[in-house]
Structures are given as C-alpha cells and as structure tokens.
C-alpha cells in the first residue's frame, strides 16, 4: 500500500508499507519500486518506528525513478523525494 504527499517546496513524500496484518519480527518484502515519470536528486528513507533516516540508492531508467532492493515493512516507511 502507499500514499503520496506534495510539500510546498515541490518535494514529494510517499508512505509505503505491506498491506497485511502486522506481526512481530516482520521479515519485510524485498522489492523494486518504480515511480513512472518522476525524478529526484536524492531520496531519503525514513523509518517512523525506529527513527532512522538513510539516503537511498536511486537510478533513472527510461525516465522513471527506480529504487532497487527496498525492504517494505508492515508499517509505513516514508520516502522523501528531493529535487
């Protein structure tokens, strides 16, 4: 599941999580995220449970923003796309 937001400065936020029952010790789902027709200079992943922030490795493929090997948890991880 996901939900997107736009900030006044033009940056975008996306909340991403697996849409199922939350469990202890969630192993996560290894995924490739593709944002069609979207670009960014960098993407910061924000773990809202543990308070971690990390710049993610991104690439542009045919005009699409791609994040490979992203672990989707059973709670929202916020992706901040910075232009």
């Amino acid at each position: 599941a996901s939900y997107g937001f736009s900030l006044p400065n033009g940056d975008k936020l996306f909340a991403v999580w697996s849409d199922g029952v939350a469990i202890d010790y969630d192993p996560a789902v290894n995924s490739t995220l593709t944002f069609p027709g979207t670009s960014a200079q960098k993407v910061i992943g924000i773990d809202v449970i543990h308070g971690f922030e990390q710049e993610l490795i991104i690439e542009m493929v045919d005009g699409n923003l791609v994040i490979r090997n992203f672990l989707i948890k059973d709670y929202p991880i916020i992706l901040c796309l910075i232009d």
Side-chain angles (χ1 to χ4, degrees), residues 2-75:
S2 65
Y3 195 84
F5 307 86
S6 292
L7 299 177
N9 67 357
D11 292 345
K12 297 173 184 73
L13 297 177
F14 290 94
V16 180
W17 66 97
S18 62
D19 196 20
V21 176
I23 60 172
D24 289 337
Y25 311 110
D26 174 39
V29 177
N30 191 358
S31 303
T32 296
L33 303 179
T34 302
F35 296 87
T38 302
S39 64
Q41 295 298 314
K42 67 180 178 177
V43 176
I44 305 294
I46 304 167
D47 183 316
V48 297
I49 298 288
H50 302 289
F52 299 130
E53 293 186 19
Q54 179 177 351
E55 186 170 349
L56 304 178
I57 298 170
I58 60 173
E59 61 183 296
M60 294 300 297
V61 178
D62 297 327
N64 302 318
L65 176 69
V66 177
I67 303 170
R68 298 186 192 281
N69 299 313
F70 183 79
L71 295 176
I72 296 179
K73 304 291 281 177
D74 61 1
Y75 59 87

